[in-house]
Amino acid sequence: TITYETYVAEDFFPHCKPRVKSWKRLDSLWRVHVKSVLGKKKLSEITRADVKRLQTAVVEKGLSNASANHVVRFIRSSLSVAVLFGMLERNVASKIPMLHEPLRERDLSDEELGRLLYILETDRNRAVCQVILVLMGTGLRLQEALGSTWRDVDLDRRIWMVPGTRTKNRKAHSIPINDATFEVLNGLPTKGTDGPLFVSSRTGERFTTISKQFERIVKAAKIAGFTIHSARHWFASALISSGKSLYDAQRLLNHSSPVVTQRYA
């Protein structure tokens, strides 16, 4: 007799919070898209048709296919936990097909890459430029890089360790440090300490984001549509273009599924 709304509040989110890094995003999906439509229904009365209609309704509001798919994934995940707890016999959202999601990230032409590298080598904000160069040279996510300390980096062995506490899938992984990245790391003013790699030249504190400066630098290079996360896509594309296998790219990007890597590359 429990409602979906009660289950999410009393069972699902308490289960998620210690286990899922992005649980606040799940909470946003729930409040914005799901709660008002399905919250009052009994948990056992939610149907496959309910979920499918909600997926369609999200698109009809003018939102993207990706947003609609995120809603379905939220419901699928929440019902999966209900099955785990013995509160449901089956997950009605388990086989609902996802809508096609066109790849949002863009690659760089040789000319655009040249302009961007020129700005990164000459811009006044050297600290942010060094972060961007490392993102493009390693494929790391922004917070994986910004959260790293010199204890994670072995320049002698050219290995960069990323602990599971900072990865999206909570799996630790290591990446080799290539020549371009080695040159950047070797020139960081924080070298020789055991603190963070990247600190603001203005405050001396660890960066938490570089969004505004990144936008300014990309604009100076006259490149549109290239985001911070695009640097990760560019790295994957460059790997494949240079002859590396899909498995190599999956390993370096720390993807749990080759399907995700294939979309990147």
Side-chain angles (χ1 to χ4, degrees):
T1 60
I2 189 173
T3 64
Y4 189 32
E5 183 176 26
T6 301
Y7 159 72
V8 168
E10 297 183 358
D11 297 284
F12 179 61
F13 278 136
H15 173 80
C16 283
K17 287 180 181 180
R19 295 174 173 83
V20 181
K21 291 178 68 174
S22 58
W23 75 266
K24 288 185 178 180
R25 174 168 172 73
L26 296 181
D27 181 58
S28 176
L29 287 169
W30 164 249
R31 288 184 291 100
V32 174
H33 298 294
V34 185
K35 184 177 180 180
S36 62
V37 179
L38 299 179
K40 300 301 182 183
K41 295 199 70 164
K42 292 179 181 178
L43 181 63
S44 59
E45 292 180 350
I46 295 174
T47 67
R48 179 183 173 90
D50 289 332
V51 183
K52 188 64 180 164
R53 279 195 292 267
L54 182 54
Q55 182 187 41
T56 302
V58 171
V59 175
E60 289 177 345
K61 288 180 182 178
L63 298 177
S64 66
N65 286 0
S67 296
N69 288 343
H70 283 313
V71 170
V72 174
R73 291 188 186 103
F74 170 86
I75 299 172
R76 178 185 296 169
S77 176
S78 66
L79 298 186
S80 176
V81 172
V83 172
L84 177 68
F85 288 174
M87 302 172 77
L88 287 177
E89 292 187 3
R90 67 189 184 93
N91 186 343
V92 297
S94 63
K95 295 184 179 180
I96 291 179
M98 297 292 106
L99 302 175
H100 173 67
E101 298 180 29
L103 190 63
R104 292 177 300 167
E105 308 299 343
R106 55 160 294 183
D107 206 346
L108 294 174
S109 67
D110 290 345
E111 187 176 320
E112 288 174 327
L113 178 60
R115 293 202 302 267
L116 178 58
L117 291 177
Y118 174 77
I119 298 296
L120 292 176
E121 293 294 341
T122 59
D123 189 80
R124 65 183 183 277
N125 195 326
R126 300 310 311 143
V128 169
C129 291
Q130 287 165 331
V131 175
I132 298 171
L133 286 167
V134 164
L135 294 179
M136 295 181 69
T138 62
L140 288 173
R141 296 179 178 89
L142 177 62
Q143 293 307 319
E144 291 174 346
L146 295 185
S148 291
T149 69
W150 281 103
R151 292 187 294 272
D152 302 319
V153 175
D154 187 335
L155 288 181
D156 293 330
R157 296 171 57 219
R158 291 202 175 198
I159 295 293
W160 189 331
M161 299 294 301
V162 185
T165 53
R166 285 206 307 276
T167 62
K168 187 175 181 179
N169 61 9
R170 295 189 178 273
K171 293 181 180 179
H173 75 119
S174 61
I175 56 171
I177 297 173
N178 58 29
D179 290 345
T181 304
F182 180 84
E183 183 178 343
V184 175
L185 294 177
N186 206 37
L188 291 178
T190 57
K191 186 184 176 184
T193 71
D194 61 357
L197 300 178
F198 304 105
V199 299
S200 167
S201 56
R202 182 174 60 85
T203 66
E205 299 293 325
R206 181 180 74 85
F207 281 114
T208 55
T209 185
I210 59 168
S211 298
K212 290 184 179 179
Q213 289 298 317
F214 181 88
E215 291 174 5
R216 179 185 64 78
I217 287 169
V218 170
K219 185 176 180 180
K222 299 179 181 178
I223 299 172
F226 192 75
T227 67
I228 292 176
H229 198 66
S230 296
R232 184 168 163 85
H233 285 259
W234 179 86
F235 175 78
S237 181
L239 277 178
I240 300 300
S241 298
S242 66
K244 298 297 183 183
S245 68
L246 197 62
Y247 174 79
D248 291 331
Q250 180 186 348
R251 169 71 178 80
L252 292 171
L253 293 168
N254 197 28
H255 285 153
S256 55
S257 168
V259 176
V260 180
T261 310
Q262 195 163 22
R263 287 187 69 241
Y264 271 51

